[in-house]
Amino acid sequence: MSDSPKPPTLLTVQEVADLLRVHQRTAYRLITRGDIKAIKIGSQWRVAEAALLEFIESGWKTAAKRQPKPGKGPQQLRLPLDEE
């Protein structure tokens, strides 16, 4: 038995898109913008499984911060109407 570290699982752009249930172009955009950490091998992008999980976790944290306060209800907007 060897004690060498196990290499990370690398995902393709299509696999990332499938896991996030988004279009492949959306996954590609997230990767090239740097939202999802990835490496480029030749002409193809690869995402470590840990990087994808980190992206998902950061999304949950961001969403939790944006939750409306209980009992406050939705903000009501009014259209500007000409009153004559």
Side-chain angles (χ1 to χ4, degrees), residues 1 15 17-18 23 29-30 43-44 51 55 59-60 65 73 75:
M1 287 191 180
E15 290 170 329
D18 291 343
H23 194 276
R29 212 173 296 124
L30 290 168
S43 63
Q44 299 179 358
F55 169 76
W60 283 118
K65 289 179 187 175
Q75 181 181 4

Side-chain angles (χ1 to χ4, degrees), residues 32-78:
T32 56
R33 273 196 329 213
D35 294 338
I36 300 175
K37 295 177 188 172
I39 59 170
K40 196 167 190 179
I41 302 173
S43 63
Q44 299 179 358
W45 287 98
R46 292 293 183 264
V47 176
E49 188 175 21
L52 181 60
L53 294 173
E54 181 182 310
F55 169 76
I56 293 169
E57 184 63 31
S58 70
W60 283 118
K61 289 177 183 174
T62 303
K65 289 179 187 175
R66 284 192 247 149
Q67 290 294 327
K69 294 188 170 46
K72 191 149 186 172
Q75 181 181 4
Q76 192 171 28
L77 303 175
R78 296 176 188 245

Side-chain angles (χ1 to χ4, degrees), residues 1-22:
M1 287 191 180
S2 67
D3 289 332
S4 61
K6 181 182 173 189
T9 301
L10 297 177
L11 305 168
T12 65
V13 174
Q14 183 62 56
E15 290 170 329
V16 170
D18 291 343
L19 289 168
L20 293 177
R21 301 182 94 178
V22 297

